[in-house]
Amino acid sequence: MFNNVIVRRPCRAMVEGITSNPQLGKPDYEKALLQHDSYIAALKECGVAVTVLPADERYPDSCFVEDPAVITRKCAIITNPGAASRNGEKDEILPAIRKFFTEDQIEYIKSPGTLEGGDVMMVGDHFYVGRSVRTNEEGIRQFIAILEKHGLSGSEVTLEEVLHLKTGVNYLENGNMLVSGEFVHKPEFAQYNRVEIPEEEAYAANCIWVNDTVIVPEGYPAVEKAVRSLGYKVILVDTSEFRKLDGGLSCLSLRF
């Protein structure tokens, strides 16, 4: 169960955020704010307390708070984001983390290691870590060492196509996992009940489980149907403006 969630308001500079999908156009800032409002409302409906951090105009992608920190039940890990324009976000998330964790519970990924939270998927006390353009071998080595120090475990997953691990695979608890693209046949996930997402709805593989409710991107009927068929309550949230920056539902919050 999650008790707390941290989010950060989108900034006006988000229209200049990193994207691999320029054909989708630039985000509409006002629309993004409304979508963020709906996202916060959906989280609150799941019974969590939401800490809302102010927009930070220095960092166009800073609404994606999942990347500069990873929160486990034992510790918080401040990452070292691999995207140069986002690296400073790790310093800005720290004050919020300190409200929930003592200094001896806060760990740090140090250069030359890089890690982004979008590459980390929690399954109980085990953490799968995607090796990507943003998360390197040294970052993963440090991350797993930190997990083991706190009695947790981790393992590496090689990525071939997607930006972040959770772009294409997300765990919904109870042994259920949404998989798309390159993750459909990955042996690392063979033990789970894998629900395959059709290619045309691959973006919506990025759903989030929050206290037995699953928040699903709006506009992806096959994914919505699949999640409902697993027995979860579903809340739909439109994330079209964040998709333009390669962002999804998990990217927009730290849940713990």
Side-chain angles (χ1 to χ4, degrees), residues 61-70 77-82 86 89-90 93 115-120 134-135 163-164 166 246-247 250-254:
D61 295 284
S62 55
C63 59
F64 301 125
V65 289
E66 176 178 67
D67 290 313
V70 173
I77 301 165
I78 304 302
T79 68
N80 194 27
R86 299 197 60 191
E89 291 176 35
K90 67 182 188 291
I93 199 72
L115 187 96
E116 293 194 1
D119 280 319
V120 178
R134 307 274 189 87
T135 296
L163 171 67
H164 281 141
K166 283 188 298 215
D246 305 325
S250 76
C251 315
L252 288 165
S253 60
L254 286 165

Side-chain angles (χ1 to χ4, degrees), residues 191-213:
Q191 73 214 66
Y192 302 102
N193 174 39
R194 289 164 297 167
V195 178
E196 189 174 339
I197 302 304
E199 189 178 343
E200 64 273 14
E201 293 195 13
Y203 170 78
N206 188 254
C207 296
I208 52 173
W209 176 97
V210 185
N211 302 343
D212 291 328
T213 293

